[in-house]
Amino acid sequence: MKKRILIAVGLFFMLVGIFGVSYTYSYDHRTAESLSAYCRIDFQSSHTETGALEGAVLTLWDSRYDTKKLLPQAVIYTDGTAWEMVATVKQLPPPGESDPTNRFKNENKLFCELPKASLKAVRNAETVRVRFYYEGGQTIDLPLNAPDLEYWKAQLQ
């Protein structure tokens, strides 16, 4: 009888472990059709006192179970033209009990300034894609959806 209980408990823990690993893997390798569907984004432009456009900054927040960190580089594609960006990255550990919805997820933040030469290309682009990288070779490459693209263009006027 004790042997059957021990086997049942062992099988239960194996199933829970398999489910947990498969869930976290599928979440960290999730698919999305646009950048804002995959992670939280913020795009802001800056202007001089005279109103002239002087730059733009993109910030991404990506929460995931994996502890691999973002690499400090990103690429923005405007109608196929690549613009490489040097980024600043930061990873925050899981918040624990203070945030029940994300208590086990690491928050990765990528902050990059768009090259000045790319601003006109973004303003005139039909499509814009953003690519960023994680340690271990994972690459995220997603387009902006139509509302986000229009917002970016409005910011760059």
Side-chain angles (χ1 to χ4, degrees), residues 1 19 34 49 64 68 71 73-74 81 103-104 109 111 127 129 136 139-140 147 155 157:
M1 185 66 168
F19 172 77
S34 70
E49 291 178 6
R64 52 182 39 226
K68 290 186 177 140
L71 297 178
Q73 59 190 30
T81 303
R103 86 173 82 187
F104 301 113
K109 184 176 182 180
F111 178 84
T127 61
R129 298 182 69 82
T139 301
I140 310 300
Q155 285 287 312
Q157 295 299 328

Side-chain angles (χ1 to χ4, degrees), residues 9-27:
V9 169
L11 288 173
F12 173 76
F13 281 122
M14 283 193 305
L15 290 174
V16 168
I18 290 169
F19 172 77
V21 168
S22 65
Y23 175 78
T24 56
Y25 180 84
S26 67
Y27 182 83

